[in-house]
Amino acid sequence: MPVPHDYRSIDTASQPLSQAQPRIFLVGRPGAGKGTQGTRLAQRLGVQYVSTGDVLRKAIEAHTPFGTAIEKVINAGNLLPAELIISLVESCIDGDGYVLDGFPRTVAQAVAITSQASNSPPIAVEIAIPSNVALDRLTHRGRFDDDITIARRRLVVYETETVPMLNYLQSCGLLHRIDGDAPADSVEQSIWQRISVVLGSSHPTPAVIMPAHRNALSDVASLFGAVAAG
Ligand code: ADP
């Protein structure tokens, strides 16, 4: 796949790859703002943004066999099987660095993605909001799976499946927690401050990069059929 922007050509020849190909996971309760922050962060870094939720909802809206198969699970507020979501994500990412929104969500998913061969250590950013704030935001958002009963279920699944994963990432020294109960611009600033430190000050600044934003959704259209058939 061609690289639509080449910030590595600016002054990165002598830098370790870990700074040129950031692998960032955005995690946090439903409604934490992962979509907003993930899009902004990917744009700043000039890397691919992949939201598993967006990919899955697109499949549902397109009424593909895969979409029909997963709709019930999503509408119940439950998670999809690990193998399915892991292969979906692997098909979406192109290895040039990425921001993942909504993945990993379980210990199994975290083990799978963190053990992938790569020169860059993964960076997990938790956008932390309390559950009452999450519930309030979800019930005002109006997405089809934001119905109060489904939203409550998703928050329970977050506690049982995702919190243990956060503990796992924390024990690996990969987790960075950001307060997400603040205006989007200030959350963006906090995330960027933390990411800049982790990546190192020599990482090109957004003003220098001016990256083209890429979206993985069009790249995976063909996958829906493949997953459903498999
Ligand atoms: P949220 O607002 O809950 O963070 P997302 O848009 O990320 O929502 O995900 C919507 C739904 O898609 C989830 O409730 C789940 O059913 C499914 N899903 C998304 N990511 C994953 C994942 N990594 N593993 C399993 N299921 C997932």
Side-chain angles (χ1 to χ4, degrees):
M1 184 175 291
V3 180
H5 55 274
D6 195 0
Y7 62 85
R8 280 163 294 175
S9 67
I10 296 172
D11 183 25
T12 54
S14 58
Q15 290 180 27
L17 276 175
S18 61
Q19 296 180 354
Q21 299 177 322
R23 298 195 295 151
I24 297 172
F25 315 139
L26 277 190
V27 290
R29 288 196 166 86
K34 300 184 292 290
T36 305
Q37 299 301 335
T39 311
R40 294 185 188 187
L41 182 59
Q43 196 156 13
R44 277 182 185 248
L45 290 166
V47 298
Q48 190 184 16
Y49 165 71
V50 177
S51 154
T52 49
D54 283 353
V55 172
L56 299 169
R57 276 187 294 278
K58 259 216 140 83
I60 292 173
E61 282 158 20
H63 301 292
T64 62
F66 173 69
T68 310
I70 62 172
E71 192 170 6
K72 270 199 183 131
V73 179
I74 293 189
N75 280 347
N78 291 321
L79 298 182
L80 289 162
E83 321 78 59
L84 188 151
I85 204 86
I86 289 165
S87 62
L88 181 87
V89 167
E90 282 175 348
S91 312
C92 293
I93 54 183
D94 62 15
D96 284 338
Y98 50 74
V99 174
L100 286 186
D101 161 359
F103 184 94
R105 254 178 154 96
T106 64
V107 173
Q109 293 177 15
V111 169
I113 193 83
T114 54
S115 56
Q116 265 194 348
S118 170
N119 289 311
S120 38
I123 303 165
V125 177
E126 178 194 355
I127 305 176
I129 55 165
S131 24
N132 62 320
V133 173
L135 202 58
D136 188 53
R137 287 189 189 177
L138 292 179
T139 46
H140 288 92
R141 192 164 66 172
R143 214 172 69 192
F144 71 81
D145 55 345
D146 285 343
D147 160 277
I148 183 82
T149 314
I150 306 174
R152 282 214 176 95
R153 169 71 191 153
R154 281 157 58 215
L155 286 167
V156 168
V157 170
Y158 187 85
E159 300 304 323
T160 55
E161 300 285 339
T162 306
V163 170
M165 181 210 74
L166 295 178
N167 296 336
Y168 168 76
L169 291 174
Q170 173 114 48
S171 69
C172 299
L174 298 175
L175 188 67
H176 302 270
R177 183 167 284 132
I178 302 292
D179 178 13
D181 191 7
D185 287 349
S186 87
V187 176
E188 179 184 359
Q189 218 177 349
S190 310
I191 293 176
W192 184 247
Q193 271 168 4
R194 186 71 67 89
I195 292 286
S196 318
V197 171
V198 178
L199 292 175
S201 54
S202 54
H203 193 83
T205 63
V208 177
I209 306 168
M210 294 302 287
H213 171 56
R214 279 191 293 159
N215 193 316
L217 298 187
S218 55
D219 300 345
V220 296
S222 57
L223 179 77
F224 301 148
V227 172

